[in-house]
């Protein structure tokens, strides 16, 4: 299993003095509860209509009047945050274990982020991509250098940094990054077909345009990204979607050869499905995809928008895997600028070489402010002490969560899904995840659902143990109440 492979690699690193031995000893030295908490059975943040003050009702009514009703949001209004906490207009405090859906890597109102934001906004807020500015190249260099040093995109860990080997394109979001990656892969496919057949890339016979994706995937909501986001709830209202998309079964190695053919230009997959339920792509499956893409000339895209940039305790979720499992392209976004909109497509040079002036673009993507913030955030979260903290806290959170299926076997599926600070608990009743999210919120903890049967935990990367204990204590109380309902 891919998840086991991550553990094996971490343990090997630990034997050489790396972080994982500190992880294990840190968890072992911190005793775990012997019984589930029942301290949070009472509702402290009620959401019933009678408890909503009139000023809040007025704000909610204004939202109903003027905003497109595409979000189902609880009846309170957030005003500010600090660290792992946010407050609403009633001055109620919430522990944010969502982190803006895996976005706020450094938490809320981080002083370093605020300083960069103020300083750069006073210099150059926006230039468009008609001109150079200093921050986009600096951030791109940092991403490539870290990938070479820590492993990914075909490099083994410890590779000496080099100015060649990969390129970046900056966008405004993860969805845009995936759109860009698919668009680039289409052009690569046409170029490779033309080279193979000795014809022009726009020859009418050029059919290398199919895209392969997988069940339970989530790659975004725009038409191209939506076409590879396999969820009928999201797709059906907007059909017909883009043609030429084939859907495979996640982790089914047997179907890879028939799924990926000479007509395939791109295969897009999440190494860890986030929205789909916190599921790992296993190592054998990814190795088979890599091999088949090499055989057919297809571009292998890893969507690491939610699982990348140290959320697993590694730079990339695939950094712990052998290079024969690595992709040609990685898309990223969520934590890169701690909440300021930015996304990026990282690609090998042999992919980037087909893109020339005018073949892709964006007005706002890669702005001076976004890239300055991205450089600041990535510089901090990539520090060894910070990464060690992610590993230790992730191990502790996983250890705490692992007790719940043992205590509540009739309610929860066995085990904990995920690694690092992207974790999930599976429920036997598909109605329970949504109910638990509401129950936890009414007790001051914000968590998310994932897929059809799970609750997801993607807190800020600098979350502390006290916050972990509070979150899990609330969860234990809520799961216990679910079991007796």
């Amino acid at each position: 299993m891919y998840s086991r492979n991550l553990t094996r690699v971490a343990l090997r690193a630990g034997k050489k003095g790396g972080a994982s031995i500190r992880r294990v000893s840190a968890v072992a030295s911190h005793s775990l509860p012997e019984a589930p908490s029942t301290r949070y059975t009472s509702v402290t943040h009620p959401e019933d209509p009678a408890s909503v003050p009139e000023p809040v009702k007025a704000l909610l009514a204004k939202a109903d009047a003027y905003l497109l009703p595409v979000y189902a949001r609880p009846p309170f209004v957030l005003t500010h945050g600090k660290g792992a906490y946010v407050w609403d207009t009633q001055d109620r405090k919430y522990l944010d274990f969502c982190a803006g859906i895996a976005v706020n890597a450094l938490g809320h109102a981080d002083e370093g982020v605020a300083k960069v934001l103020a300083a750069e906004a006073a210099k150059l807020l926006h230039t468009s991509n008609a001109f150079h500015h200093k921050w986009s190249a600096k951030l791109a260099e940092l991403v490539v250098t870290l990938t070479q040093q820590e492993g990914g995109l075909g490099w083994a860990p410890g590779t000496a940094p080099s100015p060649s080997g990969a390129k970046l394109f900056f966008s405004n979001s993860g969805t845009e990054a995936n759109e860009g990656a698919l668009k680039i892969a289409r052009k690569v496919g046409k170029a490779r077909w033309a080279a193979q057949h000795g014809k022009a890339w726009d020859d009418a016979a050029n059919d290398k345009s199919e895209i392969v994706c997988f069940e339970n995937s989530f790659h975004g909501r725009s038409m191209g990204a939506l076409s590879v986001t396999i969820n009928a709830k999201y797709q059906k209202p907007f059909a017909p979607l883009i043609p030429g998309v084939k859907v495979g079964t996640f982790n089914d190695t047997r179907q890879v050869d028939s799924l990926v053919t000479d007509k395939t230009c791109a295969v897009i997959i999440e190494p860890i499905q986030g929205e789909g339920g916190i599921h790992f792509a296993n190592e054998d499956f990814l190795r088979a995809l890599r091999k088949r893409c090499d055989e057919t000339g297809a571009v292998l895209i890893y969507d690491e928008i939610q699982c990348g940039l140290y959320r697993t305790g590694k730079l990339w979720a695939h950094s712990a895997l052998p290079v024969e499992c690595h992709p040609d392209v990685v898309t990223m976004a969520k934590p890169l600028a701690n909440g300021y909109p930015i996304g990026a497509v990282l690609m090998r040079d042999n992919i980037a070489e087909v893109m020339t002036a005018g073949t892709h673009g964006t007005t706002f993507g890669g702005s001076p402010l976004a890239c300055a913030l991205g450089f600041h955030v990535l510089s901090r979260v990539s520090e060894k002490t910070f990464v060690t903290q992610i590993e230790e806290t992730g191990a502790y959170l996983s250890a705490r969560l692992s007790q719940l299926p043992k205590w509540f076997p009739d309610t929860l599926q066995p085990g904990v899904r995920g690694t690092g600070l992207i974790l999930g608990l599976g429920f036997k009743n598909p109605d329970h995840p949504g109910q638990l999210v509401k129950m936890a919120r009414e007790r001051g903890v914000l968590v998310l659902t994932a897929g059809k049967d799970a609750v997801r935990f993607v807190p800020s990367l600098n979350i502390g143990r006290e916050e972990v204990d509070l979150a899990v204590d609330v969860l234990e109380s809520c799961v216990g109440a679910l079991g007796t309902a």
Side-chain angles (χ1 to χ4, degrees):
M1 290 289 292
Y2 176 39
S3 55
R4 292 176 182 170
N5 182 74
L6 284 172
T7 303
R8 288 198 302 270
V9 172
L11 289 173
R12 285 199 297 269
K15 290 175 183 176
K16 297 177 182 177
S20 62
I21 284 180
R22 292 193 294 273
R23 257 179 76 183
V24 173
S25 62
V27 173
S29 66
H30 196 97
S31 59
L32 299 174
E34 296 181 359
S37 173
T38 57
R39 289 188 294 158
Y40 297 95
T41 54
S42 299
V43 171
T44 55
H45 298 54
E47 295 180 2
D48 59 280
S51 70
V52 179
E54 289 303 320
V56 176
K57 287 181 180 178
L59 286 169
L60 298 177
K62 187 171 291 188
D64 288 341
Y66 293 104
L67 296 176
L68 194 67
V70 294
Y71 302 109
R73 292 183 277 214
F76 57 83
V77 178
L78 297 177
T79 59
H80 63 286
K82 185 63 180 177
Y85 293 91
V86 292
W87 285 260
D88 67 11
T89 53
Q90 298 166 253
D91 203 34
R92 297 184 299 190
K93 183 179 179 182
Y94 297 83
L95 172 58
D96 183 5
F97 242 62
C98 306
I101 314 182
V103 167
N104 302 116
L106 300 173
H108 298 279
D110 177 81
E111 292 181 5
V113 170
K115 285 181 180 179
V116 173
L117 183 64
E120 294 305 319
K123 296 176 184 177
L124 271 180
L125 190 69
H126 173 74
T127 62
S128 87
N129 285 293
F131 305 98
H132 284 290
H133 63 81
K134 69 177 183 179
W135 286 110
S136 58
K138 290 185 70 172
L139 178 55
E141 178 188 30
L142 181 60
V143 172
V144 173
T145 298
L146 287 172
T147 303
Q148 292 171 333
Q149 291 174 330
E150 300 188 27
L153 207 72
W155 286 296
T159 303
S162 167
S164 62
K167 299 287 190 294
L168 267 85
F169 174 85
F170 288 111
S171 64
N172 301 289
S173 67
T175 295
E176 287 185 28
N178 283 336
E179 289 281 353
L182 294 172
K183 185 177 172 183
I184 291 165
R186 275 270 173 92
K187 194 168 192 298
V188 170
K190 292 180 183 296
R192 288 178 174 174
W193 182 94
Q196 180 183 2
H197 293 86
K199 296 182 178 180
W201 66 266
D202 57 352
D203 189 284
N206 193 336
D207 60 355
K208 195 169 184 61
S209 60
E210 289 184 350
I211 299 169
V212 169
C213 61
F214 296 92
E215 293 175 345
N216 299 317
S217 60
F218 186 92
H219 299 293
R221 308 264 193 163
S222 56
M223 291 302 285
L226 182 62
S227 299
V228 293
T229 293
I230 308 306
N231 185 317
K233 178 178 70 174
Y234 298 147
Q235 288 188 333
K236 276 189 175 182
F238 307 101
L241 302 174
I242 66 169
V245 174
K246 295 170 67 176
V247 182
T249 302
F250 197 67
N251 279 334
D252 187 348
T253 304
R254 297 168 299 177
Q255 69 174 209
V256 167
D257 284 354
S258 59
L259 190 65
V260 183
T261 70
D262 289 335
K263 292 183 179 182
T264 306
C265 72
V267 175
I268 185 167
I269 188 170
E270 300 157 276
I272 303 174
Q273 289 186 332
E275 302 291 331
I278 317 297
H279 297 295
F280 281 94
N282 68 54
E283 182 178 322
D284 289 342
F285 181 58
L286 294 178
R287 181 182 285 105
L289 285 177
R290 173 73 274 167
K291 179 175 179 290
R292 187 60 177 159
C293 285
D294 288 340
E295 292 169 350
T296 60
V299 176
L300 182 57
I301 303 166
Y302 282 3
D303 175 345
E304 296 222 20
I305 289 163
Q306 187 162 162
C307 64
L309 297 172
Y310 296 101
R311 183 147 291 276
T312 64
K314 303 288 183 182
L315 173 60
W316 305 117
H318 75 272
S319 293
L321 293 171
V323 293
E324 58 266 25
C325 301
H326 287 197
D328 300 299
V329 175
V330 182
T331 56
M332 70 196 81
K334 286 183 180 290
L336 187 53
N338 204 60
Y340 193 89
I342 188 172
V345 188
L346 172 66
M347 68 205 83
R348 301 187 193 203
D349 273 349
N350 66 332
I351 304 299
E353 65 188 9
V354 307
M355 301 301 287
T356 55
T359 52
H360 196 42
T362 171
T363 298
F364 294 103
S367 71
L369 183 54
C371 290
L373 286 166
F375 185 85
H376 174 82
V377 172
L378 187 55
S379 296
R380 284 174 61 185
V381 300
S382 61
E383 292 176 355
K384 290 184 178 180
T385 53
F386 195 104
V387 175
T388 298
Q389 179 185 337
I390 295 171
E391 293 176 327
E392 291 177 347
T393 308
Y396 181 62
L397 174 58
S398 182
R400 286 283 327 252
L401 291 174
S402 68
Q403 296 176 296
L404 272 67
K406 300 172 186 176
W407 288 336
F408 306 104
D410 295 334
T411 304
L412 295 172
Q413 297 175 20
V416 177
R417 302 177 188 175
T419 188
L421 289 174
I422 178 168
L423 298 170
L425 283 175
F427 286 73
K428 293 182 176 180
N429 183 336
D431 293 332
H432 278 169
Q435 293 173 17
L436 184 132
V437 166
K438 183 176 186 296
M439 291 173 68
R441 195 170 63 231
E442 290 184 321
R443 289 154 179 80
V445 174
L446 307 179
V447 292
L448 299 163
T449 57
K452 300 174 181 178
D453 64 353
V455 169
R456 175 178 19 160
F457 311 99
V458 284
S460 301
L461 298 182
N462 58 355
I463 198 79
R465 285 202 183 180
E466 289 184 7
E467 289 79 25
V468 167
D469 284 333
L470 172 58
V472 181
D473 284 351
V474 169
L475 287 168
E476 289 170 0
S477 299
C478 293
V479 175
L482 276 176
T484 59

